[in-house]
Amino acid sequence: MSDKKEPAVLTTGVQRHQDTSRFESTGVSRRGFLQGLAASVAALSAGWTTLSYAAKGGGPGGGTITRNPLWIPPVVSPVSYALQAAPATVDTGGGKLSNVLAYNGFFPGPTFRANTGDSVDIQFTNGLLEETTVHWHGMIVPPAADGHPRDAIMPGGNYAYRYPITQRACLNWYHPHPHMLTGKQVALGLAGAFIVNDTEEAALGLPSGVYEIPLVIRDAKFDSGGNLTYTAKSSGFLGDTPLVNGTRDPKLDVDTAVYRLRALCGANARIFKLALSNGAQFTLIGNDGGLLESPAVVGQIEFSPGERLDLLVDFRGLAVGTKVMLQDLNSGWNLLEFNVTRQVSVAGTLPSGTLSSITPLANPVVTRDFSFDGMSRINGKVYDINRIDFQVPFGQVELWRFRTGGNAPHPVHVHGASFQVQSRSGGRGVVYPWERAWKDTVLLQDGETVEVLIRFDGYRGLYVMHCHKLEHEDMGMMSNFEVI
Ligand code: C2O
Ligand code: CU
Ligand code: CU
């Protein structure tokens, strides 16, 4: 069903070992960022002589939009896995080959899938021309496995990411987090999904197998050669082409059944407003930190960089031949076409009642205020990789208050713990259904103050909090803090 994108990989395989001298000769200046460095995969892969392009049948050159089958990344176990970041050439739809940066040649990277209680052991190799790290966004991991910019892996270097999965079922993701280079590396292709399952979730009998679809939603920019390209902009990188799972103009053939969409916003800076073209509503069952207490029926959902959504979409009762579009109402984009192609009798159900029980955090003993200032500061300070901005006692419930006077959107993200949103004042003034239960990223718009309760009860040590508009992060809208 999704046989496209046999990633014409050039550099796959962690077996491949690159001689480091080659990287140095084409080093990319990270300081170039602030001068508006434009980066492209071509530039990044200049030193690679092994690029080869698989010949794929060219698409029809007609005038109407040909929709391409949605690509589904391979699902792998993180219990023992070799992962490499490197340039690759992939089919982004209809035989269009694009140079990207990819994990194991896949764009997006392989989907990790594991159970609560499993131990992750990922042997990572940096096949890029510049430093990188892998951050496991949403995973509660020890500081040494968190991909902190201080733990940069040099070109050709290796790092073992090892941690137990102690948290509940959820959809998380992984992406680079190197100092001042995150925006570029993510925009050029490095990101993948990480699904955690547990027994509580399994007991619900939610749609699974071909009825559970991961959706990595982002925007992108292609150069004239069809390769991903990136230009840092202090207001945030905005691409002109939507991609779902790395596919342009994607379509998915569906049965008359209930589907579970596991969506993550992998855009650098774009805020989407998701809706279905037939006016049907989503049954929202989860977000960043896993299942909600009970389902919420919603027609439109704001979706900002770093956030995840667990959505049920009901195609039962639709006639074969019906097309339903997943749309972004903010840009007017058609993101993904669902094409009802098969009538089935076992079609699943929508859950009602309790999905999970969420213990509310309460009685904060400390309040901390964080002002997201300009495009590069938190509480007036630009990120300093060597400075610890504050310390948080282990196991203590705290109230964190995020606010901004301007230059939003600022999707605020905290490493090391999930939080519970308490209130939003100013701006949109409400807490939305998709902001209930456990979150690790919350959208702050101009004039808003968002209060969350948070407790670090996983590990002690160094983490970061930052704006997940990746250009703001790279310019310094990030703080180091230490759980003590
Ligand atoms: Cu998804 Cu610190 O980031
Ligand atoms: Cu994170
Ligand atoms: Cu920001």
Side-chain angles (χ1 to χ4, degrees):
M1 135 175 164
S2 46
D3 51 319
K4 107 185 165 65
K5 187 169 328 191
E6 204 40 65
V9 187
L10 353 162
T11 50
T12 40
V14 275
Q15 299 88 330
R16 184 164 197 291
H17 213 77
Q18 200 63 28
D19 149 25
T20 12
S21 57
R22 186 176 277 176
F23 294 102
E24 275 135 31
S25 58
T26 45
V28 173
S29 160
R30 67 146 55 146
R31 306 293 157 199
F33 176 85
L34 295 173
Q35 293 125 41
L37 172 83
S40 70
V41 180
L44 272 171
S45 48
W48 298 74
T49 52
T50 49
L51 293 181
S52 65
Y53 299 82
K56 293 267 181 172
T64 54
I65 281 207
T66 308
R67 302 205 74 90
N68 307 300
L70 177 74
W71 186 67
I72 309 286
V75 177
V76 301
S77 164
V79 167
S80 174
Y81 194 76
L83 185 71
Q84 186 195 37
T89 302
V90 298
D91 182 348
T92 49
K96 290 198 186 70
L97 296 179
S98 301
N99 289 344
V100 303
L101 301 182
Y103 289 116
N104 288 14
F106 298 111
F107 170 56
T111 299
F112 288 111
R113 188 163 201 134
N115 296 311
T116 302
D118 286 348
S119 285
V120 170
D121 186 344
I122 292 173
Q123 304 293 322
F124 175 73
T125 303
N126 181 4
L128 306 176
L129 301 169
E130 59 190 20
E131 68 182 46
T132 193
T133 69
V134 187
H135 170 56
W136 311 92
H137 183 133
M139 304 295 293
I140 306 301
V141 306
D146 198 47
H148 191 281
R150 281 191 194 179
D151 297 319
I153 303 149
M154 293 302 139
N158 303 289
Y159 197 90
Y161 290 97
R162 294 200 180 102
Y163 52 90
I165 301 177
T166 54
Q167 65 208 89
R168 64 206 286 262
C170 57
L171 166 64
N172 288 328
W173 62 304
Y174 62 104
H175 63 76
H177 220 299
H179 192 44
M180 303 172 86
L181 293 169
T182 299
K184 179 173 73 173
Q185 293 183 10
V186 171
L188 293 182
L190 292 170
F194 194 129
I195 295 172
V196 177
N197 294 119
D198 68 10
T199 49
E200 179 192 52
E201 177 204 34
L204 294 172
L206 296 167
S208 62
V210 296
Y211 298 119
E212 181 185 10
I213 311 286
L215 300 179
V216 180
I217 300 175
R218 55 166 290 184
D219 54 347
K221 217 172 177 124
F222 291 88
D223 66 16
S224 56
N227 302 315
L228 281 189
T229 182
Y230 174 70
T231 308
K233 268 190 79 180
S234 55
S235 56
F237 167 78
L238 293 178
D240 52 13
T241 308
L243 292 177
V244 182
N245 294 352
T247 312
R248 317 184 204 206
D249 302 320
K251 65 168 180 194
L252 180 70
D253 289 347
V254 295
D255 295 345
T256 53
V258 177
Y259 279 72
R260 183 180 186 192
L261 307 181
R262 315 291 307 266
L264 79 83
C265 181
N268 279 42
R270 183 176 293 276
I271 316 293
F272 296 92
K273 188 179 279 180
L274 303 181
L276 295 167
S277 62
N278 62 346
Q281 302 205 295
F282 301 105
T283 299
L284 171 77
I285 58 168
N287 56 6
D288 305 356
L291 294 166
L292 303 181
E293 206 144 37
S294 54
V297 175
V298 282
Q300 299 178 5
I301 305 179
E302 270 181 320
F303 198 28
S304 77
E307 293 188 294
R308 284 88 70 206
L309 293 168
D310 200 341
L311 301 170
L312 299 180
V313 176
D314 191 358
F315 299 112
R316 293 173 305 178
L318 297 185
V320 166
T322 306
K323 293 180 193 305
V324 178
M325 193 66 80
L326 175 65
Q327 298 178 305
D328 168 29
L329 300 181
N330 285 342
S331 63
W333 282 342
N334 288 328
L335 297 175
L336 170 63
E337 181 185 87
F338 297 101
N339 205 340
V340 181
T341 51
R342 197 166 66 120
Q343 183 83 38
V344 293
S345 48
V346 181
T349 52
L350 293 173
S352 55
T354 305
L355 295 166
S356 181
S357 68
I358 308 288
T359 307
L361 295 176
N363 305 318
V365 298
V366 168
T367 298
R368 299 180 199 268
D369 283 284
F370 300 101
S371 170
F372 290 76
D373 305 324
M375 294 180 285
S376 59
R377 285 167 288 122
I378 297 176
N379 289 346
K381 289 179 182 163
V382 172
Y383 182 66
D384 178 341
I385 193 169
N386 294 312
R387 185 188 65 224
I388 308 280
D389 293 292
F390 58 101
Q391 293 183 317
V392 185
F394 184 89
Q396 154 174 309
V397 178
E398 302 198 345
L399 178 84
W400 288 17
R401 196 181 285 138
F402 307 128
R403 67 187 162 80
T404 190
N407 299 290
H410 303 293
V412 176
H413 172 52
V414 183
H415 291 212
S418 296
F419 51 74
Q420 295 176 346
V421 179
Q422 303 298 299
S423 67
R424 173 180 282 109
S425 53
R428 293 168 295 157
V430 293
V431 176
Y432 293 95
W434 53 88
E435 297 178 317
R436 306 241 163 86
W438 292 102
K439 292 280 291 170
D440 56 54
T441 307
V442 65
L443 178 58
L444 197 56
Q445 289 286 21
D446 278 344
E448 293 182 355
T449 298
V450 171
E451 292 184 335
V452 308
L453 290 177
I454 192 164
R455 178 178 59 203
F456 293 85
D457 50 14
Y459 302 93
R460 290 180 168 81
L462 181 67
Y463 293 104
V464 291
M465 167 184 67
H466 59 92
C467 177
H468 217 288
K469 181 188 279 183
L470 298 179
E471 290 67 37
H472 287 184
E473 171 187 335
D474 282 344
M475 288 192 299
M477 192 174 270
M478 179 151 77
S479 300
N480 281 323
F481 64 92
E482 200 171 25
V483 178
I484 54 170

